[in-house]
Amino acid sequence: KNQFETLKEHEFGTNDIYCAAFVILNGYELVRLESELGNRKLFIFDEEAEKVAKTYWNDTAKVNPRMLFSALRDLKSVLHNA
């Protein structure tokens, strides 16, 4: 079961912008962005993105740093325009 109440069935969410950038870098589109308590945001993806996120959290991910930073910049732009 998802830890975030706002998630619909078949969705994966993270409030970690670095993990979200990594997921986007691996080809998953951001479904939506939701506000949590305070200033935190919840990045919501299709549930399949969780597999990729696990490689991020398990330190088994391989990534081009410049591409990751580019994805991070894009996400920060989305945050500032939300």
Side-chain angles (χ1 to χ4, degrees):
K1 182 155 173 74
N2 292 318
Q3 63 180 348
F4 302 108
E5 293 178 13
T6 60
L7 290 178
K8 297 175 185 171
E9 191 174 341
H10 306 295
E11 290 183 333
F12 162 73
T14 182
N15 54 19
D16 183 306
I17 193 170
Y18 299 102
C19 179
F22 178 75
V23 168
I24 289 170
L25 177 64
N26 280 276
Y28 293 92
E29 289 188 31
L30 184 66
V31 172
R32 68 181 183 282
L33 181 65
E34 291 193 3
S35 294
E36 292 187 295
L37 292 174
N39 289 342
R40 298 193 75 163
K41 300 292 184 187
L42 181 62
F43 303 94
I44 301 173
F45 301 91
D46 183 270
E47 72 179 339
E48 291 296 314
E50 187 172 8
K51 294 175 187 173
V52 171
K54 285 181 181 179
T55 66
Y56 172 84
W57 291 114
N58 293 334
D59 295 326
T60 58
K62 304 287 186 229
V63 66
N64 177 314
R66 283 185 286 182
M67 292 177 71
L68 179 60
F69 294 132
S70 177
L72 183 58
R73 272 193 309 275
D74 292 345
L75 264 184
K76 286 182 178 182
S77 177
V78 168
L79 282 176
H80 292 173
N81 293 323

